[in-house]
Amino acid sequence: MAAGSSHSLSIKRYIEHPKGSPTVLRLVVGSQLRRLRKECGIDLEEAAKAIRGSTAKVSRLERGQGACEERDIADLLTLYGVLDEDERADFLALTRQTNTRGWWHRYSDVLPEWFERHLGLEEAASVIRTYEVQFVPGLLQTEEYAHAVTRLCHPHASAQENDRRVRLRMERQALLTRPDAPRLWAVLDEAALRRPLGDTEVMRGQLRHLIEAARRPNVTLQVAPFETGGLAAVGGPVTILRFPEPDLPDIVYLEQLTSALYLDKEEDVDHYLSIMDRLCAVAETPVDSVGFLEGLLERLG
């Protein structure tokens, strides 16, 4: 089919240049399946019958939220008229890659399932925009600060468990220095900078680290001071992830105490993008934010 060639090219890009995240590869497979189904005018009910499942299962596949079984993908490709052997082989090869494990799997003993998806999305993002209210973002924490945050959030965990949580966080930060590093645009509420975690030396080290991070070409750092007012109080931390693959939607990540929400509906994403844009507009400029951090550091002595 004529449309199949464009889908095949998109799939082939990920086979030849994988970006290491099975989470995003599932999103790629799902987005292509959704496009094929809609181009064929097939509804969810008919697709569900083809894989002997429910419409909910098809929806999960198309949203990249479920395991991809080769048999299901093969049956859907047949239903959608993708009969070329090379195209089918590409789809199935990518399907097999979606079931590999990310580097973070070795931390599964201290890693909640709801956070695993975020790590996978973060690995493949081209832009990460985040607003933090209570803590410095995990991607910008020093090891000492991370230890203080971890002990606060997991007071009953053993020292060994919390050490592993911190190692996971430090390893996660490597994505900011790799050759194809994403752009990180972080807005920090003033409260996150003034809240003491650890001793004074820990806070000094964290402020120095933020100042150094702000000089990186792929990091934009802004401070939302208390004077920003109610706009900064958006209800909690927000992260928006954007991907280089044009078929993939932006995803909003909302972390809660023991779970997280992942939003990809256009109206939801637009709502949070609007909030983030307004936050960035009223926050200190990147240059003034560095000055703000330097002032806090000076006051700590």
Side-chain angles (χ1 to χ4, degrees):
M1 55 188 290
S5 58
S6 63
H7 299 308
S8 182
L9 288 172
S10 181
I11 291 289
K12 193 176 289 293
R13 281 203 302 273
Y14 275 86
I15 295 172
E16 295 175 348
H17 305 287
K19 202 163 179 182
S21 170
T23 306
V24 167
L25 297 183
R26 284 194 293 270
L27 286 170
V28 171
V29 170
S31 70
Q32 299 294 352
L33 290 174
R34 182 170 58 251
R35 286 180 57 182
L36 284 167
R37 179 176 62 78
K38 290 186 175 181
E39 287 173 1
C40 294
I42 293 173
D43 60 22
L44 288 171
E45 287 78 9
E46 189 174 351
K49 289 178 183 176
I51 61 172
R52 302 152 301 280
S54 64
T55 56
K57 180 179 179 180
V58 176
S59 292
R60 286 194 299 271
L61 273 176
E62 292 185 351
R63 294 167 71 90
Q65 295 177 348
C68 297
E69 300 293 337
E70 284 191 59
R71 178 187 176 188
D72 291 340
I73 303 304
D75 289 342
L76 288 174
L77 292 176
T78 300
L79 178 65
Y80 302 153
V82 180
L83 305 178
D84 181 86
E85 289 302 320
D86 290 338
E87 289 186 46
R88 292 175 68 89
D90 286 345
F91 261 97
L92 296 178
L94 192 59
T95 297
R96 287 189 289 274
Q97 290 186 26
T98 69
N99 295 315
T100 60
R101 291 173 172 174
W103 61 263
W104 52 88
H105 180 74
R106 62 181 175 273
Y107 294 101
S108 58
D109 57 320
V110 294
L111 181 62
E113 287 187 16
W114 52 264
F115 193 63
E116 287 189 43
R117 187 179 183 211
H118 179 65
L119 292 178
L121 295 172
E122 198 174 68
E123 277 282 305
S126 56
V127 180
I128 302 169
R129 298 182 69 181
T130 186
Y131 169 64
E132 280 288 347
V133 185
Q134 188 169 9
F135 304 119
V136 169
L139 288 172
L140 295 174
Q141 291 179 8
T142 64
E143 187 170 348
E144 295 76 16
Y145 183 95
H147 271 291
V149 172
T150 303
R151 285 193 297 268
L152 179 65
C153 295
H154 303 277
H156 304 298
S158 68
Q160 183 180 16
E161 287 174 331
N162 281 339
D163 284 347
R164 285 181 58 72
R165 290 186 173 97
V166 172
R167 285 202 297 273
L168 167 64
R169 189 161 301 178
M170 294 301 102
E171 192 167 344
R172 174 184 162 205
Q173 293 178 3
L175 70 89
L176 292 179
T177 56
R178 69 191 186 192
D180 60 342
R183 179 188 177 195
L184 174 64
W185 188 352
V187 181
L188 280 67
D189 194 275
E190 182 176 346
L193 300 169
R194 290 191 178 275
R195 178 172 292 106
L197 284 164
D199 58 23
T200 302
E201 190 54 41
V202 169
M203 292 305 296
R204 284 197 200 100
Q206 181 60 70
L207 290 170
R208 284 193 292 265
H209 183 67
L210 288 172
I211 293 168
E212 292 169 4
R215 297 192 178 104
R216 295 181 190 172
N218 62 317
V219 176
T220 300
L221 193 61
Q222 291 183 264
V223 175
F226 291 136
E227 291 79 11
T228 302
L231 179 59
V234 295
V238 179
T239 298
I240 304 173
L241 303 112
R242 178 162 292 174
F243 308 96
E245 174 57 56
D247 289 340
L248 299 184
D250 291 354
I251 292 181
V252 176
Y253 171 74
L254 303 174
E255 186 170 320
Q256 301 170 336
L257 188 61
T258 58
S259 63
L261 294 175
Y262 295 88
L263 310 177
D264 61 3
K265 290 184 178 179
E266 187 175 356
E267 58 268 27
D268 292 331
V269 173
D270 287 347
H271 173 71
Y272 281 98
L273 279 172
S274 176
I275 289 175
M276 193 72 77
D277 287 342
R278 282 183 285 156
L279 270 171
C280 293
V282 300
E284 298 287 336
T285 67
V287 171
D288 289 342
S289 294
V290 170
F292 190 100
L293 293 168
E294 290 172 337
L296 288 178
L297 181 59
E298 186 176 343
R299 282 192 284 277
L300 284 177

